[in-house]
Amino acid sequence: MNTVITHADPLPLPPASGAWREGDPPGRRRWHGLRRPLPLEAGGELPGVRLAFETWGRLAPDASNAVLVLHALTGDSHVTGPAGPGHPTPGWWEELVGPGRALDTDRWFVVAPNVLGGCQGSTGPASPRPDGTRCWGGAFPFVTQRDQVAAERDLADALGIDRWALVVGGSMGGMRALEWAVSYPERTGALLLLATTAAASAEQIAWASVQLHAIRSDPHWRGGNYHDTGPGPHAGLGLARRLAHVTYRSEAELQLRFGRAPQGTEHPWRGGRYQVESYLDHHAGKLARRFDAASYVVLVEAMNAHDAGRARGGVRAALRRVTAPTLVAGVDSDRLYPLAQQAELAAGIPGAGRLRVIESSCGHDGFLVETEQVGRLVRELLGTG
């Protein structure tokens, strides 16, 4: 008789949302509230906006040492530091930020906001509406990268920072870093763009569309209004994460790490999994416990809308607005944001010079993994090499 293997999750079921909610431990977060409703590029305005952010180091009296670090899709403000109350995961760029590291916090004042529309303290679908009656849920408005950067500009004003010494970001964070340099060239002292693009491509939108369909097809999605009604759309979010994670890594890495090996004693012919399936299951489960499905939808839609050339005469004209010393780097094994997209940025931004290539077997995630190579680029731009 064949044995059917089941995969019971040893962890308790997650809440409807993995978002940070009012009453949760604040951790290292601070908050900035915009004084006025935020006008939105798609029309209308968003009232009651708050940005969660973290800082490291001390701001110089003339505010000349401020560095803005912008996270990718499922990142947050916790760039460095341990997991703990309020922070479900350790810092996502731990080896890049801190005393003696490329972003030396004994010298630089590092600021990392949680993006508008996110779920780790900034205003997003899991946040209460300004009247406090219920969370935004599916009524959260469509926001773009430019809206997100406008909110970050307000944070910079509140911190007394007129000009960033450096703006750095990868993937979605790179989209916002580019928007900073195009929208506010006088406020961007240097620019580091990693594994990103001037505009989302048809293929990137297609991959994202499948992820959005996975979430919206979950019976617990309820039009995005699930936060206080019971189970959340974890199955849909998990499917979206599995698909995304395959695009984040490289075929060669997956083959080297997992090949066709089964997971432990499980037999794939009898209900068991291959190791690579277990790997994807692990990442899907982790995300459900620290992220919000509606935020995932909002941020993916913002990434799909990314086009630096929109209403600016096209991408080439937009890139010519950048005045900051710039380095553009891509990952040689990245199949989601291929090097050709970074080559377009390097060729179009005045003074950017040659495209830098990060060597990694890790695919798109290489910009997060190869911190030594990224650190050298940071030091080059800051003149601290």
Side-chain angles (χ1 to χ4, degrees), residues 47-112:
V49 170
R50 290 200 314 167
L51 288 187
F53 67 100
E54 295 179 50
T55 66
W56 298 265
R58 180 172 295 183
L59 186 64
D62 62 357
S64 62
N65 67 334
V67 173
L68 180 63
V69 176
L70 300 173
H71 67 77
L73 172 59
T74 59
D76 54 32
S77 64
H78 201 51
V79 175
T80 186
H87 299 297
T89 55
W92 51 269
W93 245 357
E94 186 77 31
E95 296 177 5
L96 200 72
V97 179
R101 296 171 182 165
L103 285 174
D104 187 345
T105 50
D106 289 335
R107 176 171 183 176
W108 303 102
F109 179 66
V110 178
V111 180

Side-chain angles (χ1 to χ4, degrees), residues 16-322:
S17 170
W20 186 94
R21 307 292 290 272
E22 295 292 338
D24 290 344
R28 293 191 75 261
R29 292 176 186 83
R30 298 160 58 189
W31 279 269
H32 166 65
L34 275 64
R35 291 166 293 179
R36 292 178 293 276
L38 179 69
L40 301 177
E41 189 181 4
E45 58 186 23
L46 180 59
V49 170
R50 290 200 314 167
L51 288 187
F53 67 100
E54 295 179 50
T55 66
W56 298 265
R58 180 172 295 183
L59 186 64
D62 62 357
S64 62
N65 67 334
V67 173
L68 180 63
V69 176
L70 300 173
H71 67 77
L73 172 59
T74 59
D76 54 32
S77 64
H78 201 51
V79 175
T80 186
H87 299 297
T89 55
W92 51 269
W93 245 357
E94 186 77 31
E95 296 177 5
L96 200 72
V97 179
R101 296 171 182 165
L103 285 174
D104 187 345
T105 50
D106 289 335
R107 176 171 183 176
W108 303 102
F109 179 66
V110 178
V111 180
N114 181 216
V115 68
L116 174 67
C119 63
Q120 286 299 318
S122 290
T123 297
S127 304
R129 300 184 190 217
D131 61 10
T133 55
R134 60 193 185 283
C135 66
W136 281 100
F140 193 80
F142 190 95
V143 296
T144 68
Q145 308 287 332
R146 296 184 195 179
D147 300 328
Q148 294 163 340
V149 168
E152 293 164 2
R153 178 201 60 194
D154 202 87
L155 169 62
D157 291 343
L159 294 173
I161 299 167
D162 294 327
R163 180 179 174 89
W164 299 103
L166 171 67
V167 179
V168 54
S171 192
M172 185 187 82
M175 295 177 180
R176 297 193 342 265
L178 178 61
E179 277 295 335
W180 261 99
V182 173
S183 296
Y184 311 109
E186 74 287 353
R187 304 191 67 164
T188 308
L191 179 66
L192 178 56
L193 302 176
L194 301 166
T196 194
T197 181
S201 70
E203 185 177 43
Q204 287 158 350
I205 294 171
W207 284 121
S209 174
V210 178
Q211 296 170 50
L212 295 175
H213 277 290
I215 293 173
R216 288 171 171 151
S217 297
D218 190 307
H220 297 302
W221 169 244
R222 299 187 184 91
N225 300 308
Y226 56 84
H227 294 86
D228 301 308
T229 60
H234 302 310
L237 180 59
L239 286 173
R241 181 61 165 179
R242 288 175 177 88
L243 175 63
H245 205 76
V246 172
T247 70
Y248 295 159
R249 313 302 286 205
S250 75
E251 186 276 337
E253 183 209 13
L254 294 177
Q255 180 63 27
L256 180 64
R257 290 179 64 181
F258 306 112
R260 295 183 45 79
Q263 176 64 19
T265 60
E266 297 181 19
H267 197 309
W269 293 11
R270 297 179 175 86
R273 298 170 297 175
Y274 292 97
Q275 283 185 5
V276 69
E277 292 178 284
S278 174
Y279 170 73
L280 296 177
D281 290 346
H282 169 73
H283 282 281
K286 280 181 62 177
L287 191 70
R289 288 172 168 81
R290 70 171 183 86
F291 214 77
D292 179 62
S295 272
Y296 197 98
V297 168
V298 165
L299 298 183
V300 165
E301 288 187 328
M303 293 174 71
N304 285 350
H306 172 60
D307 180 359
R310 185 175 55 251
R312 291 167 172 159
V315 164
R316 290 184 180 181
L319 296 183
R320 287 196 297 268
R321 297 170 62 160
V322 178

